[in-house]
Structure formats: C-alpha cells, structure tokens
Amino acid sequence: MQITDKVSLKVEGAIGYVVVDNPPVNALGQAVREGIAGGIRAADADAAVQAVVIVAKGRTFPAGADITEFGKPPMPPSLPEVCQVVEDCSKPVIAALHGTALGGGLEIALSAHYRIADAAAKIGLPEINLGLLPGASGTQRMPRITRAAPALDMMLSGKPVGVVKAAEMGVIDEISTGDLTANATAYATRLLAESAARRPTSERREGFDDMAAYDAVIAARRAALAKSAKGQLSPFKIVDCVEAAAKIPFADGMVMERAAFMECLTSDQSKGMIHAFFAERQTAKIPEAATAKPRAMDKLAVIGGGTMGAGIAVAVLDAGLPVVMIERDQESLDRGRANVEKVYARNLAKGRIDATQMAAVLERFSGSTDYASLADVDLVIEAVFEEMEVKKGVFAQLDAAMKPGAILATNTSYLNIDELAATISRPQDVVGLHFFSPANIMKLLEIVVPAQVSDDVVVTGFALAKLLRKIPVRAGVCDGFIGNRLLAVYRRAADYMMEDGASPYEIDAALRDFGYPMGPYQVSDLAGGDIGFATRKRKAPIRDPNERYVEIADRICERGWFGQKTARGYYLYENGARVGTEDPEVLAIIDDERRRVGINATSFSVEEIQNRYLAAMVNEGCNVLAEGIALRPLDIDVTLLYGYGFPRWRGGPMKWADMVGLDVILARIETYAKEDAHFWQAAPLLKQLVAEGRNFDDLNKGK
Ligand code: 3H9
C-alpha cells in the first residue's frame, strides 16, 4: 500500500514493513514524515500485523531531516511528532538500519522499540555540524539508553560510530550480516515468539542509574566547551538538553529541546553552517563537467620531495594509488622518501596502522632521479621550488618524457600558469593543482584552470580531488588564485591596523574572538616569516609606489626572528613553547616604525579590527568574482573555510557579508577610504549589488 509517494506499507504474514524510498539519502522531507506516520498508523490498525519493521531502500536509512526544508514554513507532521507516533505504536516496532542513519533518521530509530543494523552501518547525530542540535528527541531519548557521556560524545563531536560501538552503547540490539530485511524479519519473528514487550525509549531510565556520574559529566563538558566552543550556540544547548533529560519529565524535555532547536535554527550560526554544507557540495559542479569525462589516472608522479611534494605523495598513497617521486639527485630523493616514510612511521607509532599495512602502502611508492621513469605515468604534479624559471625547466623535461595525453599539473601557489603552459608543446594538458600544507591533511584543493587547458583535464583534476577525499574549488589564473589573493589583501589590512595603533596581539585576539583558531600573526609565526620576507624583497622593485607599505615585518625578519622555528617572531617562544607570549621588544619595534613614518597611534576596538579585516576580504572577493577567478561566491567561502581557518559557523566571508548586509559593508569601506583611498577602493561589483538590492546568495543561485 502506497502511503505517500515516498513511503509504502507492505504486509507479509505478521509483519508490516514501512518502506522509505526517497533517494539519494532518504532525507526526512514532508512526504517521508507523513508516510512514516501514516504507515505506522495503518500497520497499527491492521489486525494481521503483529510487529512493524521500518526499513529504507537505496543506499541508506534516512540520513536526517531534509535540510533544504529548513527556513521554510513548517509542514506537518513535525519530526518529533512522527517519532512519537513510532513509539506509541501498540505493536513492537523494529528499525532496520543500513548506510548512515544520521540525525532525524537515528531519532526515528531511537523511537522504535528495537533496532537491528547492518554490520557496515554507521549511526550518528551530526546536527552540531549544522549549528543545530538533535531536535526530534535525540537529546532526550539517547541519554536514557546510553548515559550522559556516550550521548554527549556523539552529539558534540557530530561523528558517526560503527555498529559494534553502537551496540556497546546499547543503541543497537542486533547486528545483521547479509540480507538486512530478511534478518530484520527473523528478529521480529523471534521477538514475537518470545512475546517481547514494546520498549518505549521515553520510559527507559537505565541511562540515569548513576546521577552523580551523570552530573559530573555534564559539568565537565560545560567547562570544556567554555574553552573550545566560545561564541557558539548549539554545543551549550546540547549539554543543557541532555542535562534536562535526566531531571524533568520526558514531555517537558521535548518542549525544551524544541525551543532550543528553533533558537539554533533561526541563528546566523546555523545559517552559516548550512550554507557551508551545501557550498562544499556545490564546488564540484563546474561548467566543464557538462560535456567532458576524466582521463585515466592509474599511475601518478610527484616532482620534488620537499614538504609539499612528500605531502602530496602521501595523499596519493592514502587514496590507494601508486606514486613515483622524482628528485634531482639521490640525496634529495632519499630525503623525499624519508619525508614520506616519516608520516607512516608516525601513524604506526600512534597505532593507526600496523607494520604490514605500512609496508603495503610503501610498496606503491617508488623514487627516481630520471625523468624517463615517467613514461607510463598518467598525471604528474610538480612541487618544486616556487620560482618561474625553475618550474619552466622542470616542465621542459616533463614535456620530453611524458606520454601523449598525460596531465602535467603544477602545485604553484601564485605563479602565472598560462605563462608556464605556453613554454611547452602541450599547453592543453597543463593545469594547476594547488594543495595546502600539510597536503595529506588539508582538505582544500584549488584547481586552477589556465586559458588553454582542455575540459577533460579540468574534470580529471576534480576526479582526483574526489579520489583524494579533498574539497575541490575551481579557480582562474591570477596572482594567488582565490585564497592567497584574498589573503594578501586582508593581511595588508591587518598590517595597516598594526602600524596605525593596534598591537599584533590585539589583532590576533580580535580574530580569535571572531572564531579563527589563530590570528594572522600567530599563523605567520607558525609558518615562518622567512619565505614571505624573501618574496617581499624579490617583489620590491615592482611594488606600486602609491601603495602603502608597512615595514614592521621586515624589521622583525631582519633580526632573524622568523617565528616558532627561531623561538621568536611576533611572539616569544621560550624553552620550545608552542604558544607564544607577547614580546615588549616587538612592541618597541612597532613604536619606532610608527615614529619613523609619522603615525600617531590610535586604538582599535575588537569590532573595528574584525570589521576592517573582513571588509578587505569581502571586497577582494568581489574583485575575484568580477574577474571570473572564482565561479560563485560560495567557491570563495569554501576556499576560506577549508584553507584559511575561517570559522565554519560564520559560513565563509561572502555568506557572512550577506548576513551583515552588503550595504553595511560598502558603507564601512567608504568610511575607511577617507583615510586611505588607494587601498580601500570599493569593488565595482559590491557597489552594483548594493545598487540593485542583490546579494551573494543571489549570485550563487544564478540570479
Ligand atoms: C536533522 O536531522 C535535524 C533533526 O535532528 C531535527 C529536525 C526537527 N537533506 O553528501 P552527499 C544531499 S539535521 C537534504 O554528496 P555522500 C546532498 O546535498 C540533518 N539533502 O553524499 C547531495 O545533494 P546533491 C542531520 C541532503 O554519500 C546528496 O544528498 N543529518 C541531506 O557523500 C548526496 O549527498 C546530516 O547532517 C539532507 N539531510 O554522503 C547528514 N543529506 O547531489 C547530512 C545529503 O544535489 N548528510 N543531502 O549535491 C551527510 O552527511 C551526507 O550527505 C551523507 C552521504 C553521509 C548522508
């Protein structure tokens, strides 16, 4: 019997099967909610049915509420109501889970009386990743079964767990290997034969058996969050609701959970995180994919065994592919190999892999000092010194050595790839693959599309990103592509504030307060000031004389203070400390510089620091869009979120700007322009959007 177009009820013998069918992830949209509630009620009313199994078609049990419905007018029945219908069924209800039973999907399962899961299934409550909390009884039902700590681990980490762990938690009663529906039927039949009673989770209390321990867990989590989740809403609400589960009646707990869920749902934080969720899936949607298909990618190579080259090699090995590393001499190759082996040795020491696995991975790694070893390679990623002439030399050798149709990628972070491609005989095969350090860990991959490249090379870059489990962003050729180009501008905004009166410590603190894990000067100390220093010296002759240039960084670097590695940079790192302390000598250097250029220091509030830094970022984002360097504002958001530490709960700079209001951002830039009209030039696109009453979200939607 079809209940709605997404849910059917099938009765076979004594069992009624409520079957959900809403690809791709069986999200709990209105028709699914109505269907599950209707299916349960119909099964309840059918005298032939003695037990009900909820099961889903396709790749997964429902993976949660339908996120696309959030923000739209509510459409009954609500998910908490559906959960109650499931629990209130007068016949035992068994949820049969497979795939990823997440969020609202798990909440439905928790409302059933018994749960069986496929051995490969995962369960989780990832709402926190969307700035939300489990809002369909998860905060109330889960701790009743598991106690406080396992419930909070799941809700606060947002990470799913496998079935063995889920069974240990008491959430899964049976693990199924083989045909899930057949096993669920056998399980239901057994329960009926044993006259097993319904087991309403809302009435269970075994999770509250030790209230002193429960209270202690709540207090400890609250204290930890005060440090780790400062400024965020949903983590604290989760703890409040889990605490209440043990203290107030279930119905009151549900009212509290609903109110907390709605407060989170209407917050900018959840809007930002929901935007991030969809944005990171949108970036792979590129024009080239409409017609082109990826080329073969069976064997890869990297040129260079330094930090980047070795990191890329590890990323490729981790994806299960063979990789050849090319270095200029045996000594460098040995160093490169050691860099790769170091990563696996650490994994081994930490128990992440065993010796056999390590040996198997390294089996796929080979090294050579001869470009002839590249003859059968499909895709090479060059990661040599960041200098055009060096790269041109490497590309000439690649051109000579590689088979026709092989892809020649460069990991440059700002050089002109059009110029590089034009020096070889096959510019159509040249693409930019800009990894971020450490390349085996960082999720972002900027795929830089030069003018002459073929579409199938671009889509191969995206296919590689998927294989390496990276988030790809399509970028055009310019100095710094999307990320580093924006970084150069907002870092200048920070340096101007520093020279005008804010200390680097105040600037860092203001940006941590905004949600960054570290401020820009802490990042600079971590990365090392020497490379930037060398680049500034190299670029000095071509610097625009009208541009305001702050010399503070040069004064610091001239003293050999390059950050953590020299125990001194903007901060002092005494006795190998990783967290720096403020350095009065740096403040004195800054004062001297202010005096030298005739600046009277003014003070900047936390808000003012944040506003200027972000305005510079958003404004340059507009220029990058107008030039077609980024396809959509969401591509900029994803770049900054995954490569530059932008707080996810702010959605990315462009989403943040939409929420503040583009007119407000423009007005701020026009005010700053009164001090420095050269730097603070409002982007034409920003002006145009404000004049037309549009925003970045409109651009994302192609409006
Ligand atoms: C919640 O449940 C709140 C409740 O507690 C309370 C409510 C009152 N909705 O990721 P994929 C789309 S909050 C709508 O590429 P995978 C996704 O956009 C929810 N759409 O596949 C994509 O669309 P497209 C808690 C969704 O195999 C397509 O499905 N749950 C949803 O790599 C395929 O997705 C979550 O937060 C959704 N819930 O990964 C789970 N989920 O093809 C969120 C996915 O047009 N989802 N889509 O780009 C996930 O984590 C992953 O999608 C999943 C599959 C692991 C399930």
Side-chain angles (χ1 to χ4, degrees):
M1 184 193 352
Q2 204 63 36
I3 308 291
T4 63
D5 61 340
K6 311 282 187 199
V7 181
S8 59
L9 172 67
K10 185 177 67 170
V11 179
E12 276 175 15
I15 316 280
Y17 300 85
V18 175
V19 184
V20 181
D21 185 11
N22 182 27
V25 299
N26 285 312
L28 295 155
Q30 195 279 335
V32 178
R33 296 196 301 274
E34 192 183 313
I36 294 175
I40 295 280
R41 286 197 178 106
D44 211 358
D46 186 337
V49 174
Q50 291 176 43
V52 185
V53 170
I54 306 176
V55 65
K57 283 194 172 169
R59 66 193 211 208
T60 183
F61 196 79
D66 184 343
I67 306 168
T68 59
E69 282 184 359
F70 290 160
K72 296 186 184 152
M75 290 177 283
S78 73
L79 203 48
E81 282 163 7
V82 176
C83 288
Q84 203 52 48
V85 170
V86 170
E87 185 177 281
D88 289 346
C89 181
S90 67
K91 299 160 183 174
V93 180
I94 297 106
L97 317 181
H98 76 293
T100 43
L102 303 178
L106 180 56
E107 290 172 300
I108 296 259
L110 287 168
S111 307
H113 307 122
Y114 297 90
R115 285 157 291 278
I116 178 169
D118 179 67
K122 290 198 159 146
I123 67 160
L125 293 169
E127 286 86 346
I128 194 165
N129 297 328
L130 302 170
L132 299 172
L133 54 114
S137 78
T139 66
Q140 304 302 296
R141 285 197 166 98
M142 178 72 108
R144 282 183 150 73
I145 302 175
T146 66
R147 304 194 175 100
L152 284 173
D153 283 346
M154 184 174 277
M155 293 179 215
L156 293 174
S157 74
K159 291 203 180 104
V161 301
V163 282
V164 172
K165 173 94 195 226
E168 273 166 31
M169 289 165 70
V171 174
I172 297 299
D173 304 299
E174 283 275 312
I175 298 180
S176 155
T177 41
D179 186 317
L180 177 63
T181 308
N183 290 334
T185 305
Y187 182 45
T189 309
R190 204 172 80 220
L191 288 170
L192 288 175
E194 291 166 359
S195 304
R198 286 167 65 257
R199 204 176 40 161
T201 311
S202 68
E203 291 169 17
R204 290 174 68 170
R205 296 194 61 82
E206 59 261 43
F208 308 148
D209 59 349
D210 181 350
M211 276 316 292
Y214 199 100
D215 288 343
V217 168
I218 296 285
R221 295 303 165 96
R222 239 185 222 126
L225 289 175
K227 289 192 195 128
S228 66
K230 210 171 136 239
Q232 292 181 56
L233 190 58
S234 70
F236 295 94
K237 295 281 175 195
I238 287 172
V239 177
D240 292 349
C241 289
V242 171
E243 177 180 42
K247 304 261 155 105
I248 60 178
F250 178 77
D252 295 346
M254 287 300 295
V255 172
M256 177 169 171
E257 184 195 77
R258 188 72 185 161
F261 179 79
M262 291 315 291
E263 188 181 340
C264 289
L265 185 63
T266 49
S267 71
D268 279 356
Q269 293 186 6
S270 102
K271 289 187 188 124
M273 290 174 100
I274 289 173
H275 167 76
F277 176 85
F278 286 114
E280 70 202 21
R281 285 166 174 75
Q282 281 293 111
T283 57
K285 293 175 182 148
I286 50 157
E288 289 83 354
T291 48
K293 294 274 164 288
R295 291 187 190 173
M297 244 189 317
D298 298 325
K299 191 164 181 195
L300 274 66
V302 290
I303 312 295
T307 310
M308 273 327 280
I312 296 168
V314 171
V316 174
L317 291 171
D318 284 347
L321 290 171
V323 67
V324 187
M325 177 182 278
I326 302 282
E327 261 292 2
R328 57 178 172 247
D329 52 42
Q330 193 57 43
E331 199 184 320
S332 311
L333 186 58
D334 291 344
R335 238 190 336 260
R337 177 186 290 277
N339 285 338
V340 170
E341 286 173 353
K342 206 162 58 192
V343 176
Y344 291 104
R346 196 177 310 130
N347 288 346
L348 183 67
K350 295 210 164 173
R352 294 188 197 125
I353 50 169
D354 60 33
T356 326
Q357 286 165 321
M358 176 165 162
V361 172
L362 291 173
E363 186 83 355
R364 285 186 273 110
F365 177 81
S366 59
S368 172
T369 54
D370 184 357
Y371 277 71
S373 317
L374 296 173
D376 62 344
V377 163
D378 300 303
L379 187 154
V380 65
I381 303 165
E382 162 282 308
V384 302
F385 189 62
E386 189 75 347
E387 180 82 60
M388 183 58 96
E389 291 314 310
V390 178
K391 296 209 188 255
K392 281 182 182 168
V394 167
F395 265 68
Q397 295 188 71
L398 293 176
D399 198 9
M402 301 208 50
K403 65 183 178 188
I407 296 176
L408 282 59
T410 170
N411 177 53
T412 179
S413 41
Y414 63 86
L415 295 176
N416 186 333
I417 305 178
D418 286 328
E419 184 186 329
L420 183 62
T423 59
I424 64 165
S425 70
R426 35 173 139 176
Q428 72 280 2
D429 297 332
V430 177
V431 70
L433 292 177
H434 181 209
F435 289 81
F436 290 70
S437 185
N440 55 318
I441 309 250
M442 292 286 282
K443 284 266 178 210
L444 181 64
L445 181 63
E446 272 183 309
I447 298 187
V448 191
V449 179
Q452 297 191 60
V453 68
S454 323
D455 287 355
D456 60 349
V457 171
V458 179
V459 297
T460 312
F462 278 78
L464 176 68
K466 191 162 185 195
L467 213 60
L468 304 186
R469 285 198 287 272
K470 306 247 175 250
I471 310 269
V473 172
R474 187 189 184 285
V477 174
C478 70
D479 189 354
F481 317 129
I482 300 177
N484 282 346
R485 170 147 164 201
L486 263 67
L487 170 71
V489 176
Y490 63 79
R491 264 305 306 263
R492 263 165 66 200
D495 285 349
Y496 294 163
M497 288 189 273
M498 178 164 66
E499 197 173 54
D500 287 338
S503 79
Y505 316 120
E506 287 170 325
I507 295 171
D508 281 348
L511 291 160
R512 285 197 305 270
D513 183 76
F514 183 78
Y516 274 94
M518 284 187 196
Y521 299 102
Q522 288 173 293
V523 173
S524 168
D525 274 3
L526 182 67
D530 42 348
I531 294 172
F533 188 38
T535 310
R536 288 195 299 279
K537 281 197 272 196
R538 205 174 51 240
K539 287 191 171 176
I542 51 162
R543 193 178 299 129
D544 179 354
N546 295 318
E547 179 189 312
R548 176 177 170 194
Y549 181 72
V550 176
E551 294 186 26
I552 296 168
D554 297 340
R555 292 296 90 77
I556 291 174
C557 290
E558 280 156 15
R559 289 167 167 78
W561 300 353
F562 295 135
Q564 286 195 22
K565 62 182 165 194
T566 56
R568 206 164 183 174
Y570 288 96
Y571 293 80
L572 275 172
Y573 302 88
E574 277 164 337
N575 307 320
R578 286 171 140 223
V579 179
T581 50
E582 299 188 9
D583 185 348
E585 282 187 60
V586 166
L587 293 175
I589 293 170
I590 297 171
D591 270 340
D592 285 347
E593 279 301 300
R594 288 181 189 139
R595 256 191 305 277
R596 185 181 64 78
V597 292
I599 286 175
N600 284 325
T602 49
S603 65
F604 289 82
S605 68
V606 168
E607 217 186 354
E608 187 66 15
I609 292 170
Q610 295 171 349
N611 287 348
R612 284 177 185 250
Y613 197 76
L614 271 291
M617 201 180 298
V618 172
N619 199 51
E620 192 62 10
C622 286
N623 292 331
V624 154
L625 280 172
E627 290 170 30
I629 301 298
L631 281 182
R632 299 148 293 204
L634 65 85
D635 295 279
I636 299 176
D637 286 335
V638 170
T639 304
L640 275 284
L641 289 173
Y642 279 98
Y644 298 83
F646 197 96
R648 189 176 172 86
W649 52 278
R650 303 271 193 185
M654 310 312 262
K655 178 68 183 176
W656 173 85
D658 268 359
M659 292 193 284
V660 172
L662 299 194
D663 51 342
V664 174
I665 307 280
L666 178 60
R668 283 178 192 158
I669 292 173
E670 284 169 345
T671 313
Y672 309 149
K674 290 180 190 141
E675 299 160 19
D676 180 354
H678 183 77
F679 180 70
W680 290 107
Q681 291 178 37
L685 177 64
L686 181 61
K687 289 188 191 162
Q688 185 193 337
L689 289 173
V690 171
E692 294 170 359
R694 294 194 296 152
N695 66 10
F696 296 129
D697 198 37
D698 292 324
L699 293 183
N700 282 331
K701 292 181 178 138
K703 287 200 232 163

